[in-house]
Amino acid sequence: MSKIGTYSLFVMVMMFHIGSTPLFLLGTKAKQDSWLAVLLGAIIGLVMLAALLMLQRKQPDAGLVGLLRLTVGPWGAGMIGSLYAIYFAYQSMRNVRDFGELTSLSLLQNRPQWFIMLIIVGIAWYTVLQGNESFFRTTQLLFITTICSYVLLGGLIIVTRLPDLHRVMPIMEMGVKPVIKAAVPDIVSFPFTQGVLFLVFWKEAANQSRVSRATYGGYIAAALFIVFMNVMIITVLGPLAPVTSMPLLEVVQLIRIANFLERLDVIVTLLLFMGLYIKLTAFYMGAALVLRELVNVRYWRLTVLVGVAIYAASFLERNNTTHLWIGLGISLKVSLVMQVGIPLLLLLVAAIRLGGAKPKPAGTVAAEDRRG
């Protein structure tokens, strides 16, 4: 695997956390205070990100599997590492299904969903096969398009005077309790603690001294963007926002300028496609890289096996209603075990076992694992 530059890491962290979030209105339980719930979730996620970076600094060259071997030994690393490979593949599957549902709903209503999902899994497989350098550079190119498009859409929404700040008033009318309930655990779980995936990628950073700066910068930028989008949707749609299937799409469809500039929902759809592609590919690559360190199988074969599993699993949920019910309900609670519970336990064990010891070279860690 090639080394990852600081700017590339910043962009990936930002784009990964934005991902598919524009598909949903987060924090609907808090009604007009949903943006406060998102902000609270982002703050909690930032604390968790700091814990992940502390864990990574215990052995910067080890990665997720290496850290597991240092803390729980080779057998524990095998079991927990396998769970993470399954978890990453599952999260990739969810984004594949989202991609298929969005495409069938918005652009290609008359095309079979299985074919659409096969294409996106094939594209993701090719990206994963090329390695992290190709993927991170592709994300950089998509980053420029994404930012310019969102700035354009945001400017047009403001110019057309669609937002009404009175729709977010009064702030905390029912107190702070609804905000906390909306943020914990749902918003904390999605998307703000999914950064556990970067334990796989951080070891590939070219400049380890700037990993924290790039990660924090990308995370904070993504969090502010998500909060802003939430506020914009609420101020435009008001009480209708929580019951809208794709709120951002509804907002953009309201743009009308001089009776000629309209139907910009295609731009939103393409933005969502790019976000879903980045997220599903990142999880796909994470699953393949974890397995590569656990089993003695060639990387290209692992990418095929993981891709087939992701594609097959994307058909397990009967319809989109079931898919959303599981993804925004049960899945969010279970994911906290992988995203918060296990990393915090690993940090505690690492603090006890490693203490203030200096990090060992990655090769030394691997050699000790083979002897053990």
Side-chain angles (χ1 to χ4, degrees), residues 288-359:
L289 290 175
V290 168
L291 286 175
R292 188 182 67 169
E293 295 190 57
L294 292 176
V295 297
N296 187 24
V297 178
R298 290 186 178 181
Y299 179 67
W300 73 267
R301 290 180 179 175
L302 287 174
T303 62
V304 173
L305 292 173
V306 173
V308 170
I310 289 170
Y311 180 69
S314 64
F315 294 97
L316 293 178
E317 294 156 336
R318 291 179 298 174
N319 50 50
N320 192 40
T321 302
T322 305
H323 172 69
L324 292 176
W325 176 71
I326 294 174
L328 299 178
I330 301 171
S331 179
L332 292 182
K333 278 71 174 178
V334 175
S335 293
L336 281 178
V337 176
M338 307 301 294
Q339 296 169 191
V340 178
I342 293 177
L344 288 180
L345 285 174
L346 290 177
L347 180 61
L348 178 61
V349 174
I352 295 172
R353 293 190 61 179
L354 303 179
K358 293 182 179 179

Side-chain angles (χ1 to χ4, degrees), residues 112-189:
Q113 196 175 86
W114 66 265
F115 183 68
I116 295 169
M117 292 192 294
L118 180 61
I119 290 175
I120 189 59
V121 171
I123 294 172
W125 168 77
Y126 182 77
T127 305
V128 171
L129 190 63
Q130 300 307 307
N132 59 39
E133 182 179 15
S134 174
F135 178 40
F136 276 65
R137 290 194 176 185
T138 300
T139 303
Q140 282 183 244
L141 294 176
L142 296 177
F143 172 72
I144 298 171
T145 304
T146 300
I147 293 302
C148 292
S149 298
Y150 276 119
V151 169
L152 172 64
L153 292 175
L156 291 174
I157 290 169
I158 293 172
V159 167
T160 52
R161 298 182 181 180
L162 291 174
D164 182 357
L165 291 177
H166 292 94
R167 293 186 178 124
V168 295
M169 303 293 180
I171 296 176
M172 287 198 289
E173 180 182 18
M174 305 300 293
V176 72
K177 192 174 181 180
V179 174
I180 296 175
K181 280 188 174 182
V184 183
D186 292 358
I187 297 177
V188 172
S189 181

Side-chain angles (χ1 to χ4, degrees), residues 6-49:
T6 302
Y7 176 68
S8 294
L9 180 59
F10 164 83
V11 169
M12 179 58 74
V13 171
M14 182 177 177
M15 293 290 283
F16 173 82
H17 282 93
I18 292 174
S20 57
T21 53
L23 265 175
F24 317 100
L25 179 67
L26 304 178
T28 54
K29 296 176 184 176
K31 299 181 180 179
Q32 74 269 19
D33 290 327
S34 60
W35 66 277
L36 286 174
V38 174
L39 183 60
L40 176 60
I43 293 171
I44 296 173
L46 184 62
V47 174
M48 187 59 213
L49 186 66

